[in-house]
Amino acid sequence: MNKNTFVIFLYISFLFISCGQVKTSESFTAMNTYMTVSIYSSSSKKGKNVCREIQEKVCELEGILSTTLTDSDVYQLNHNKILDAPVNPELSELLDFSKQMYLRTGGAFNPALYPVIREWGFTTEEYKVPSPERVQELLLNTDFSKVECNTAGLLLSDRMELDFGAVGKGYAADKAVEILKSNGIKSALLDFGGNIQAVGKKPDGSLWRVGIKNPWEGGAAAALSVESKAVVTSGGYERYFEKDGVRYIHIFDPKTGCPSNSNLESVTIVCESGKYADALSTALFVMGKDDAIDFYKANTDFDFVLVTKERELIYSAGLRGFIEPLTDFSRVECTADSFEK
Ligand code: ADP
Ligand code: MG
C-alpha cells in the first residue's frame, strides 16, 4: 500500500468508525423532573433499547424513593415508621451513603428535614413562613443518625420522615451509567433535571461541554469541559417563594430549619459519582463560601465551582483549564492560587 492509499484507507476507517456511532436521544419525566438521555451506539435499535432500560430503572427507583407515591418504600416508611426486612437493597445502599454524607458534612446534608420542608409549603407549593417555635419543635426530630437499619428492617423514630430529594437524581444517574457501561456504551450524556452525567468523551474525541446557569441574567455563567464526570448544581434560584421582600429557597439549613441564607447563588460539583456530587452540591450550598472551601481542602476528592452572591466565580484547582467564564464576574479565583499564598 503506497502512502496515498494508506491515508485514504485511514480516512475511510475513521469515517466508518465515527459514522458507526448513531445518536439516540430520548426524554421522559420522572422524579418530578424532565430527563434526557443521549447515547452514541452502534445502531438506533440498540440506542433505543438502552434508553428504555434506563427509563425503566429511573422509574423503578422513583417507585422506591418517592415521598408522594403511596406504595413507595419511603412513603410507607414515613407513614408507618417501619419497613420490614429485607429492606430494598438500593434503599439500603442510599441510606448508608446518606448517613456517611450526613456525618461528613456535619449535618449540612440531612435527608430527615422533610417535616420542616413541608411546614414551609415546599411539598405542596402552598408556601408560608412558619413560627420560629413551630420550626424548633419540628427540628427536634431531624437527627438522621438515629435512623436504624438492622435485621428487623428500617426504623424511624416517632415523628421522623425522610426525603432523598437532594441525592436521588444523582443516585439514579449512577445506576444509569452502570446500565450504559454494561451495554458497552462509550459515549453518552445524561441530563436528569440539571444533574448532568457525562460518559466518556463525545464520539469525535472532544470533551463534553456543560453549562453552569447564570443566576442573574439567564443563559450560562460558565462552561465546563468534562470527560466521564457528573456535573451537579444546586442553586437558590431554582425553586423559591418571596414574602415581604425576602426570598425563601428550597435548600434548607438543617441548623436553623429555615431556607438557606448562604452567600452563594449556586454550587456545582464535578466528580465521578453522581450521588456524591448531588449530596455535596446541596451540602456545600448550605455551608456557604468559606466553609465550602474548607470542606474541599479537607476532602479533595471532587472539584467545585461556587457562584457567590457577590458575583464571584471560585473554582477548585482540578478545573483549571477546563472552565470558561461566560459572564462578567466581580472576581474569578482558582483555589490553588489562594492555597499557595
Ligand atoms: P434539586 O432541586 O436540583 O434536586 P438539590 O439536590 O439541592 O436540588 O436538592 C434540594 C432538595 O433536597 C429540596 O427540594 C429538598 O427536598 C431537599 N433538601 C433541602 N435542603 C436539604 C438539606 N440541607 N439536606 C438534604 N436535603 C435537603
Ligand atoms: Mg443535591
Side-chain angles (χ1 to χ4, degrees):
M1 202 186 292
N2 69 28
K3 197 177 157 204
N4 280 349
T5 329
F6 182 67
V7 169
I8 291 166
F9 169 77
L10 270 185
Y11 182 68
I12 291 172
S13 310
F14 173 75
L15 271 185
F16 182 77
I17 291 163
S18 53
C19 290
Q21 294 293 297
V22 182
K23 183 179 176 184
T24 310
S25 209
E26 303 261 340
S27 295
F28 54 93
T29 304
M31 298 183 158
N32 299 320
T33 194
Y34 190 70
M35 302 189 165
T36 301
V37 177
S38 303
I39 293 177
Y40 291 86
S41 63
S42 52
S43 72
S44 68
K45 187 170 174 233
K46 171 151 192 183
K48 280 196 175 121
N49 283 341
V50 177
C51 284
R52 193 173 322 114
E53 204 183 322
I54 288 176
Q55 183 175 352
E56 281 168 10
K57 185 73 207 175
V58 175
C59 291
E60 182 194 321
L61 289 172
E62 182 178 19
I64 298 166
L65 302 176
S66 169
T67 50
T68 50
L69 296 175
T70 53
D71 53 1
S72 84
D73 299 50
V74 167
Y75 186 96
Q76 291 296 322
L77 176 67
N78 285 345
H79 285 77
N80 303 325
K81 311 297 171 203
I82 183 160
L83 269 188
D84 290 332
V87 175
N88 176 290
E90 284 170 331
L91 177 57
S92 170
E93 182 190 3
L94 191 55
L95 190 87
D96 286 347
F97 172 76
S98 297
K99 275 197 173 179
Q100 280 175 37
M101 293 309 294
Y102 175 72
L103 296 174
R104 277 181 71 179
T105 62
F109 169 78
N110 183 356
L113 285 181
Y114 193 58
V116 178
I117 294 170
R118 182 173 47 214
E119 190 69 17
W120 287 80
F122 278 93
T123 55
T124 54
E125 295 188 10
E126 287 164 22
Y127 299 115
K128 66 167 192 277
V129 178
S131 70
E133 295 75 27
R134 179 74 182 132
V135 170
Q136 286 311 312
E137 187 189 332
L138 290 170
L139 274 180
L140 295 176
N141 300 297
T142 56
D143 183 349
F144 186 63
S145 65
K146 289 201 175 134
V147 178
E148 276 182 64
C149 194
N150 56 35
T151 46
L154 193 48
L155 280 170
L156 295 188
S157 61
D158 214 11
R159 297 207 196 118
M160 189 177 278
E161 288 179 60
L162 306 184
D163 153 33
F164 293 99
V167 69
K169 280 183 280 169
Y171 182 72
D174 285 340
K175 296 289 158 181
V177 170
E178 281 173 23
I179 291 173
L180 291 167
K181 287 189 176 156
S182 70
N183 279 283
I185 305 290
K186 302 260 184 315
S187 176
L189 194 72
L190 308 175
D191 180 348
F192 284 6
N195 278 33
I196 306 293
Q197 194 95 29
V199 174
K201 296 184 193 172
K202 290 205 278 191
D204 67 3
S206 62
L207 299 179
W208 295 104
R209 207 170 137 86
V210 179
I212 294 178
K213 271 192 197 160
N214 182 328
W216 309 286
E217 288 104 28
L224 287 168
S225 296
V226 295
E227 172 188 357
S228 300
K229 287 279 159 59
V231 180
V232 179
T233 300
S234 285
Y237 51 82
E238 277 174 26
R239 204 142 55 84
Y240 60 86
F241 71 97
E242 277 171 342
K243 192 158 186 289
D244 302 328
V246 181
R247 177 178 287 198
Y248 298 101
I249 67 166
H250 75 305
I251 300 169
F252 275 68
D253 183 342
K255 285 202 184 110
T256 63
C258 298
S260 165
N261 193 22
S262 87
N263 48 9
L264 300 172
E265 290 282 1
S266 73
V267 175
T268 300
I269 304 293
V270 183
C271 63
E272 266 176 37
S273 157
K275 63 179 186 296
Y276 190 44
D278 204 355
L280 279 184
S281 69
T282 308
L284 266 63
F285 189 98
V286 172
M287 288 178 197
K289 180 170 109 176
D290 293 342
D291 286 357
I293 294 172
D294 284 348
F295 184 89
Y296 168 76
K297 287 181 191 170
N299 303 269
T300 48
D301 53 357
F302 64 93
D303 277 298
F304 71 79
V305 183
L306 308 180
V307 175
T308 74
K309 285 190 177 152
E310 291 178 356
R311 241 190 136 97
E312 301 158 302
L313 179 77
I314 304 169
Y315 60 91
S316 56
L319 298 177
R320 198 196 286 274
F322 296 98
I323 183 166
E324 182 190 348
L326 295 173
T327 192
D328 288 333
F329 286 100
S330 62
R331 198 165 69 90
V332 174
E333 178 190 327
C334 176
T335 50
D337 299 339
S338 47
F339 284 3
E340 284 155 11
K341 275 178 197 159

